[in-house]
Amino acid sequence: MSYAMSASLQAAVYAALQADAPLGALVGDAIYDALPGGTVPPLYVALGPEKVTEAGDGSGPGALHEFVVSVVTSDSGFHAAKAAAGAVSDVLHDGALTLGRGRLVGLWFRKARATRESGGLRRIDLTFRARLEDTDPA
């Protein structure tokens, strides 16, 4: 197993989301690895938790990364959040990301959960699974 590709995957996911014009039309530049201090926009995308398990095989080390991308809005309904979540899914599901370390074997949408949060927020957590091979093991 190798966790060494995790930062590379996160950077590639973040870059892909930031570069997507349809998502940008919905949320602007409100795509975060960490929320900024102060007031946040009424609709934003945030990278979330990750779980990694060993997935090496006869060809070498690898890992299965399951990670969450959240869409959060203070709007009174889910419509804007669902549109942004759909755009996130379009970018990432079967996405062709280029990693700084390792190789992306596949990237798949796994599930989503839409909830009402305290303070009137709406939140959609999208879970994706990425299979990576470490092409540069130490």
Side-chain angles (χ1 to χ4, degrees):
M1 168 169 158
S2 179
Y3 190 70
M5 300 169 290
S6 183
S8 181
L9 175 63
Q10 180 176 334
V13 166
Y14 184 73
L17 293 174
Q18 281 194 314
D20 187 66
L23 180 59
L26 296 168
V27 302
D29 63 353
I31 300 168
Y32 304 112
D33 176 21
L35 290 179
T39 305
V40 295
L43 177 63
Y44 64 88
V45 174
L47 303 184
E50 172 189 47
K51 178 182 174 185
V52 181
T53 55
E54 195 281 327
D57 57 24
S59 66
L64 191 61
H65 294 249
E66 197 163 279
F67 62 93
V68 175
V69 176
S70 299
V71 177
V72 181
T73 186
S74 58
D75 290 348
S76 61
F78 275 101
H79 183 76
K82 287 183 177 184
V88 168
S89 187
D90 286 344
V91 171
L92 296 180
H93 180 73
D94 281 336
L97 305 179
T98 301
L99 305 179
R101 176 173 178 177
R103 182 179 81 81
L104 179 66
V105 176
L107 177 57
W108 307 278
F109 170 78
R110 294 280 296 134
K111 62 184 176 179
R113 181 172 184 220
T115 58
R116 287 184 173 89
E117 303 279 308
S118 62
L121 295 177
R122 306 299 194 262
R123 177 186 191 102
I124 301 174
D125 290 327
L126 300 133
T127 303
F128 295 89
R129 180 176 286 170
R131 167 73 167 85
L132 306 180
E133 289 180 341
D134 195 350
T135 56
D136 187 27

